[in-house]
């Protein structure tokens, strides 16, 4: 009898995560229908949540930033690890419910909810060292770049994104999927893919595949003004990615093909190269040569 009572007590006090039935109950309670506009797909598999937290290397006592916590699946996994969590949620209903869910499922943990758009946040109530998030697929790259630009405290992270976007973020120069996001992400550090995620762990089931992408921040290669100039050149080069740089950068460098050729040669970059062949350091050299 005692053994049964202890087992019941352990089950009552053991931290819990959300499963499929809890996710649906919460959504019904809040009258939330996941929308494609907000890119909402809620994770309902505890093993996947724990795998993300483990892959991210989350340590007890750290402060972790989560974007778009939704119903709280990943939030609870982060709290279970002993980390403090700052969660930024744009949906007021979800933001209001999250502390209640955490209090029931992960009592005694430290959660701060910021009700705001992640694309507009420039201050947080703390200095998170790590970013761990299931990012809304329609805005994942702009959100990532915004956070890295504004929060120097973020030193590493794991984000779940649409597979196509994830492979692009981690791509090397010369790869077919290398693009403007690849170059801009590289300004902030080193990126890698860290495993695929099954569509079946989401509700609703998305019609795209997902991957985990990890980053480790490195020192910025240049100043903030140089970053802005470099990113403008990156945008110009990849807007016409099939053209040689002397053509695609003609307008951006302010004097057509001839001026672009001069600047590119000064920077030690082949004017006949294409944007997809250049590293972030190459683009920075062009910006400095202007």
């Amino acid at each position: 009898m005692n053994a049964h009572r202890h087992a019941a007590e352990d089950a009552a006090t053991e931290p819990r995560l959300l499963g499929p039935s809890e996710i649906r109950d919460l959504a019904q309670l809040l009258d939330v229908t996941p929308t494609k506009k907000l890119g909402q797909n809620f994770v309902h598999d505890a093993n996947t949540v724990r795998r993300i937290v483990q892959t991210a290397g989350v340590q007890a006592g750290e402060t972790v930033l989560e974007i778009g916590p939704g119903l709280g699946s990943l939030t609870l996994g982060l709290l279970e690890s002993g980390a403090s969590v700052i969660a930024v949620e744009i949906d007021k209903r979800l933001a209001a419910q999250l502390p209640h869910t955490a209090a029931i499922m992960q009592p005694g943990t430290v959660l701060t909810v910021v009700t705001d758009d992640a694309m507009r946040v420039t201050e947080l109530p703390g200095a998170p060292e790590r970013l761990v998030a299931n990012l809304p697929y329609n805005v994942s790259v702009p959100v990532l770049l915004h956070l890295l630009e504004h929060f120097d405290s973020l030193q590493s992270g794991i984000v779940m994104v649409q597979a196509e976007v994830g492979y692009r973020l981690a791509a090397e120069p010369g790869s077919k999927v290398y693009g403007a996001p690849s170059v801009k992400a590289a300004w902030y550090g080193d990126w890698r893919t860290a495993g695929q995620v099954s569509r079946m762990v989401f509700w609703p089931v998305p019609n795209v595949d997902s991957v985990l992408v990890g980053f480790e921040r490195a020192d910025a290669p240049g100043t903030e003004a140089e970053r802005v100039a470099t990113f403008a050149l990156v945008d110009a080069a990849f807007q016409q990615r099939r053209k040689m740089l002397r053509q695609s950068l003609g307008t951006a460098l302010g004097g057509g093909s001839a001026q672009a050729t001069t600047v590119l040669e000064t920077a030690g970059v082949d004017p006949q190269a294409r944007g997809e062949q250049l590293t972030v350091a190459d683009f920075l050299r062009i910006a400095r040569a202007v």
Side-chain angles (χ1 to χ4, degrees):
M1 184 66 185
N2 269 355
H4 283 300
R5 187 167 58 80
H6 287 313
E9 283 171 0
D10 288 347
T13 56
E14 186 181 319
R16 292 170 297 159
L17 303 186
L18 298 176
S21 59
E22 289 94 345
I23 290 282
R24 283 181 172 77
D25 288 348
L26 268 173
Q28 191 174 2
L29 171 74
L30 299 172
D31 193 25
V32 167
T33 305
T35 67
K36 276 195 173 172
K37 184 185 171 200
L38 291 177
Q40 288 170 321
N41 295 94
F42 301 124
V43 180
H44 59 63
D45 179 64
N47 289 333
T48 300
V49 166
R50 289 189 173 116
R51 177 185 150 210
I52 293 168
V53 173
Q54 191 174 14
T55 304
V58 177
Q59 305 291 319
E62 281 185 338
T63 303
V64 175
L65 175 63
E66 184 188 5
I67 300 299
L71 294 168
S73 308
L74 182 54
T75 316
L76 296 177
L78 292 166
L79 292 171
E80 181 184 61
S81 74
S84 302
V85 176
I86 299 171
V88 178
E89 174 56 64
I90 192 171
D91 187 315
K92 288 177 181 164
R93 291 167 303 173
L94 296 174
Q97 174 61 36
L98 197 56
H100 300 297
T101 304
I104 294 165
M105 306 289 278
Q106 300 280 350
T109 51
V110 182
L111 169 66
T112 308
V113 180
V114 176
T115 310
D116 207 342
D117 180 349
M119 283 295 295
R120 303 166 77 102
V121 171
T122 54
E123 288 183 6
L124 289 170
E129 303 103 292
R130 212 179 287 273
L131 171 68
V132 185
N134 169 21
L135 289 178
Y137 286 177
N138 47 354
V139 292
S140 51
V141 170
V143 164
L144 264 176
L145 294 175
H146 172 81
L147 295 173
L148 288 165
E149 177 187 341
H150 290 280
F151 300 104
D152 292 345
S153 64
L154 290 171
Q155 292 303 306
S156 69
I158 285 281
V159 292
M160 181 155 51
V161 294
Q162 186 177 334
E164 180 189 340
V165 172
Y167 292 128
R168 185 165 288 145
L169 281 167
E172 298 284 339
S175 146
K176 280 183 182 172
V177 295
Y178 187 73
S182 323
V183 187
K184 291 177 179 180
W187 179 275
Y188 296 104
D190 301 315
W191 297 74
R192 69 190 189 283
T193 53
Q196 296 176 305
V197 180
S198 164
R199 296 182 186 195
M200 304 315 293
V201 305
F202 295 99
W203 174 71
V205 177
N207 55 6
V208 294
D209 291 317
S210 304
V211 296
L212 299 177
V213 180
F215 72 88
E216 296 291 333
R217 193 189 276 268
D219 291 337
T223 65
E224 176 58 14
E226 286 174 334
R227 182 194 67 76
V228 172
T230 300
F231 282 19
L233 293 175
V234 170
D235 287 335
F238 284 98
Q239 270 161 8
Q240 305 179 70
R241 65 181 296 149
R242 296 189 185 284
K243 291 191 173 179
M244 295 177 193
L245 288 168
R246 69 182 186 203
Q247 296 165 301
S248 62
L249 297 183
T251 303
L253 293 175
S257 176
Q259 170 67 10
T261 299
T262 303
V263 174
L264 288 161
E265 285 175 345
T266 303
V269 174
D270 181 359
Q272 295 186 36
R274 291 177 172 80
E276 64 206 39
Q277 296 167 265
L278 270 57
T279 65
V280 68
D282 295 328
F283 278 106
L284 176 57
R285 284 209 315 277
I286 299 167
R288 285 174 171 166
V290 174

